[in-house]
Amino acid sequence: MILILGGTTEGRAAVRIADEGSAPYYYSTKGTLQEIDCAHGIRLTGGMDAASMETCCHENNIRLLIDAAHPFASALHQTVAEVSTALQLPVIRYERRYPPRDNDLIWCDDYNDAIHKLSEQGIRRLLALTGVNTIAPLRPWWEKYPTWFRILEREESLATATRQRFPSDRLFFYHDEDDAGELMDQLQPDAIITKESGNSGYFNEKVKAARMRSIPVFVIKRPPLPETFHFVYGEDGLRKQIERLLPEFFPLHHGYTTGACATAAAKAALIALLKKEEQTQSSITLPSGELITLPVAETEWEGDSAICSVIKDAGDDPDVTNGSKIVAKVTLSKEPASTPIRFVAGPGVGTVTLPGLGLEVGGPAINATPRKMITEELTSVLEEYRHSISHNTKTTEACTLTVTISVPGGEELATRTFNPKLGIVGGISIIGTSGIVRPFSTDAFIASIRKETEVAKAIGCTTLIINSGAKSERYLKARYPELPPQAFVHYGNFIGETLKIASLLDFPQVVMGIMIGKAVKLAEGFLDTHSKKVVMNKDFLKDLAHQACCAEDTIQKIDTITLARELWQLLPAEKQEAFFNLLLKRCHEHCTPLLPKGELSILLITEEGIIWK
């Protein structure tokens, strides 16, 4: 059993992840004001000291604590640390992302230090954006100088301010982050004071508003957290840590793509090269913006190069590369090149021999998203260590990086993939659009779809948005911003099973997003689109093109395509509507009977996110 300490944005995210599991859990908040739907969670309210938390853990067989509370909830963090030590329970800290500490801001260790620095700077008129609970520690200041507090418009907050005898005419209520700038314009303060509350605490927005008005910013540093906690920085990181510490909680375990592993290995190699230190872990940012940390298995040096490897963990997905070593060799040169980062296929990584993959023929089979991830991470490292680079190469402008990705045994692994048919020879591809591998073991994955769909139903969703993966989901979330995250469910390849589940749960409306690769298989009647079961049928596509009255030369060109997405460029603009509408009609013919009591919409999504329907 898991006990989540929440009440924050991170607490809500922890609930979303826990609801994906197969077991109940507890979600605790100090107050009763936070509205949250827990499909499988048991809600607890009221603050707990160490004794009551120990009792709660004993009585409910708690085996894992997740601290997702506010970073300034110091007493709670200390209580969690005491209980975890006493009961030998692991603690996951769901931490916020914090921007680097800017020296242009005035950093304060605590409120006494802030009062001292305000006085030193000659500040008199102060706007406090630190919350109602900071009225008490700032009393020595506001009793002497004009001070305004922005607080939440709640009875509890008003009662707190009243107990502190703070003047009611100097209280302003929080509506959204735009009102911070409006308050600065209205009050003309000499300075503002805020807390280091991180990205989810709108820290950057407050600082930006003050800077636009040349108003000094005093910042209370976040209190340190116990070093014994396991720190994670996003939903995927949280899930992976839960899987490690409480393996039975989720029916299926997620993994990381070869692209994520290659990125982590390349970043570790560059840091090892610059710092001459062995690397044991590597933190990278996923396309979603989430920070994850992967273990580094080995570090080596060769002259102007460093080599690091990461072992691929595909979770419960039957991925042929699971357990493979993904190796990155990074070579730093002071010779300028046409591009600052050059990619090379090492042993076990394939070479592209056919057009249509979106990659240069003759180049390494490293897909666009991994290239982008590696480029961004290495560019960031170069900036961070620019003084070290300058010392080693005499100039930063001339630096060129060569990134060679290798996979020992990759050539043999590639024979068990579709790479030979795609014209990729000599090894596997380095792929992944999200960085995360979600398992595709049929029974277990369908069970996961059912669980997620039940969660959506349990929290009152009437529209279910089903999609194949991270890319299509990103486009659909932009189209339906009003829907909660639980309304979006990945079907992977199991379109038919997902529609059957939606029908059994009586969803009145289902929207299916699909990209062209799966659409051409679904249109032919394949409700499971996994590449191991069905491949693109060019004769079927040529028949559709005939029905759409395409020219004969266009129809014959279909024989030359490698991937279905090439249809977007192959078909002339004046024939695309007829062809793709016919494709969608065929998809509807196979899917609509599976949802007899509901309304089904099918949206065809291009690689750029343009939606056909």
Side-chain angles (χ1 to χ4, degrees):
M1 189 75 82
I2 295 174
L3 173 60
I4 301 173
L5 292 310
T8 57
T9 301
E10 291 73 30
R12 292 179 181 276
V15 163
R16 286 197 294 272
I17 293 301
D19 274 337
E20 295 176 4
S22 58
Y25 61 92
Y26 287 90
Y27 180 70
S28 174
T29 58
K30 183 177 180 180
T32 60
L33 295 175
Q34 188 190 43
E35 294 181 9
I36 189 165
D37 294 302
C38 303
H40 303 294
I42 302 164
R43 185 74 184 272
L44 302 176
T45 56
M48 288 189 279
D49 57 18
S52 59
M53 190 178 292
E54 278 195 37
T55 300
C56 176
C57 292
H58 277 302
E59 291 180 348
N60 298 299
N61 191 30
I62 301 299
R63 297 173 54 200
L64 175 65
L65 297 169
I66 298 177
D67 182 351
H70 195 280
F72 281 80
S74 300
L76 176 59
H77 303 318
Q78 185 58 41
T79 297
V80 172
E82 290 177 18
V83 171
S84 69
T85 300
L87 302 183
Q88 293 298 293
L89 295 175
V91 180
I92 299 175
R93 169 59 185 170
Y94 195 154
E95 185 63 303
R96 297 183 174 187
R97 296 290 297 274
Y98 298 94
R101 288 182 176 169
D102 192 326
N103 291 331
D104 289 342
L105 308 179
I106 303 163
W107 295 92
C108 310
D109 295 327
D110 52 33
Y111 292 97
N112 287 333
D113 186 36
I115 290 169
H116 173 72
K117 287 177 177 173
L118 287 165
S119 297
E120 271 190 338
Q121 296 285 329
I123 303 300
R124 293 297 179 265
R125 297 168 60 85
L126 180 67
L127 172 58
L129 303 176
T130 46
V132 71
N133 291 321
T134 65
I135 289 177
L138 284 171
R139 174 182 290 277
W141 180 264
W142 57 260
E143 284 184 334
K144 291 176 62 177
Y145 303 111
T147 304
W148 295 267
F149 277 83
R150 185 184 65 167
I151 67 173
L152 294 174
E153 194 170 3
R154 295 175 178 169
E155 289 185 13
E156 183 182 38
S157 298
L158 283 169
T160 299
T162 300
R163 281 196 303 273
Q164 295 297 326
R165 299 188 298 278
F166 187 81
S168 61
D169 61 342
R170 292 191 175 180
L171 290 175
F172 290 88
F173 296 120
Y174 173 89
H175 298 292
D176 55 49
E177 275 314 304
D178 290 337
D179 65 28
E182 294 170 5
L183 280 178
M184 294 176 207
D185 292 334
Q186 178 181 342
L187 300 173
Q188 296 292 306
D190 297 332
I192 70 164
I193 186 168
T194 188
K195 295 184 291 191
E196 189 182 14
S197 55
N199 293 348
S200 59
Y202 300 103
F203 177 79
N204 286 335
E205 288 80 355
K206 297 169 190 173
V207 171
K208 181 180 178 181
R211 279 180 165 158
M212 287 175 62
R213 295 159 176 83
S214 301
I215 297 173
V217 180
F218 291 73
V219 186
I220 306 296
K221 297 177 185 175
R222 66 186 188 276
L225 289 161
E227 295 181 359
T228 55
F229 288 6
H230 300 276
F231 290 82
V232 298
Y233 294 88
E235 295 186 21
D236 288 308
L238 175 61
R239 174 162 179 146
K240 199 65 183 171
Q241 196 66 264
I242 294 173
E243 291 173 358
R244 188 177 73 83
L245 297 171
L246 202 63
E248 67 274 20
F249 189 78
F250 293 108
L252 285 174
H253 292 178
H254 288 184
Y256 296 115
T257 62
T258 50
C261 295
T263 302
K267 182 177 182 179
L270 180 55
I271 294 174
L273 182 62
L274 297 174
K275 299 184 73 173
K276 303 301 180 186
E277 294 176 1
E278 182 177 359
Q279 301 298 297
T280 59
Q281 61 181 28
S282 181
S283 296
I284 63 170
T285 301
L286 298 177
S288 64
E290 178 176 337
L291 184 71
I292 61 168
T293 301
L294 277 64
V296 175
E298 296 173 349
T299 305
E300 302 175 50
W301 290 268
E302 288 183 1
D304 292 332
S305 304
I307 305 165
C308 283
S309 60
V310 170
I311 305 300
K312 166 73 177 285
D313 173 12
D316 286 328
D317 188 68
D319 189 319
V320 297
T321 61
N322 186 41
S324 297
K325 185 185 293 185
I326 311 299
V327 184
K329 178 179 180 180
V330 175
T331 304
L332 183 64
S333 169
K334 59 184 178 181
E335 298 300 323
S338 56
T339 56
I341 298 178
R342 187 169 67 97
F343 292 94
V344 175
V349 171
T351 298
V352 179
T353 65
L354 293 177
L357 295 173
L359 298 172
E360 179 186 2
V361 173
I366 303 172
N367 284 11
T369 298
R371 288 182 188 231
K372 183 173 185 288
M373 290 172 65
I374 293 171
T375 299
E376 289 176 350
E377 293 291 351
L378 299 194
T379 301
S380 176
V381 171
L382 288 175
E383 177 62 26
E384 185 176 353
Y385 292 98
R386 60 186 180 278
H387 298 301
S388 173
I389 299 167
S390 179
H391 174 74
N392 290 332
T393 65
K394 310 304 180 187
T395 173
T396 56
E397 285 75 10
C399 286
T400 300
L401 293 177
T402 299
V403 179
T404 304
I405 306 297
S406 306
V407 180
E411 189 167 1
E412 189 278 327
L413 291 174
T415 63
R416 291 184 265 158
T417 72
F418 276 88
N419 270 13
K421 291 185 177 181
L422 297 176
I424 296 172
V425 300
I428 66 164
S429 302
I430 303 300
I431 62 174
T433 56
S434 68
I436 302 298
V437 174
R438 290 174 174 83
F440 280 85
S441 168
T442 302
D443 291 342
F445 190 74
I446 292 171
S448 179
I449 293 171
R450 183 175 292 107
K451 181 72 67 177
E452 290 183 40
T453 308
E454 288 171 350
V455 169
K457 186 72 175 180
I459 67 168
C461 294
T462 56
T463 299
L464 184 70
I465 312 292
I466 62 174
N467 51 90
S468 58
K471 182 184 286 187
S472 59
E473 180 172 280
R474 185 166 67 250
Y475 296 140
L476 289 168
K477 281 185 172 178
R479 186 179 181 90
Y480 298 98
E482 73 281 3
L483 295 180
Q486 293 86 351
F488 297 82
V489 173
H490 288 192
Y491 57 72
N493 290 298
F494 305 111
I495 296 170
E497 293 297 331
T498 305
L499 289 172
K500 291 175 187 176
I501 291 167
S503 179
L504 286 172
L505 292 173
D506 293 323
F507 274 92
Q509 183 174 18
V510 176
V511 177
M512 179 168 71
I514 191 166
M515 301 189 83
I516 189 70
K518 295 185 187 300
V520 298
K521 299 174 184 178
L522 176 61
E524 198 178 355
F526 294 98
L527 295 165
D528 179 349
T529 58
H530 200 290
S531 57
K532 291 181 179 178
K533 296 188 176 183
V534 58
V535 296
M536 176 177 61
N537 185 342
K538 295 179 183 178
D539 288 336
F540 171 73
L541 295 178
K542 289 163 69 177
D543 183 55
L544 280 185
H546 271 297
Q547 294 178 50
C549 300
C550 293
E552 189 61 34
D553 63 332
T554 298
I555 295 170
Q556 295 310 313
K557 285 180 183 176
I558 291 176
D559 282 325
T560 68
I561 66 175
T562 307
L563 297 173
R565 67 186 181 203
E566 294 175 69
L567 290 167
W568 295 113
Q569 285 74 44
L570 184 148
L571 295 170
E574 66 272 12
K575 292 299 180 182
Q576 286 191 3
E577 183 173 357
F579 179 88
F580 291 120
N581 284 348
L582 192 58
L583 187 75
L584 282 173
K585 181 183 177 184
R586 295 285 187 273
C587 291
H588 269 285
E589 288 172 357
H590 298 297
C591 293
T592 301
L594 300 178
L595 197 72
K597 295 181 288 184
E599 178 186 345
L600 175 65
S601 301
I602 303 179
L603 308 180
L604 180 62
I605 306 173
T606 72
E607 296 297 316
E608 294 75 30
I610 299 170
I611 295 177
W612 288 66
K613 64 174 183 176

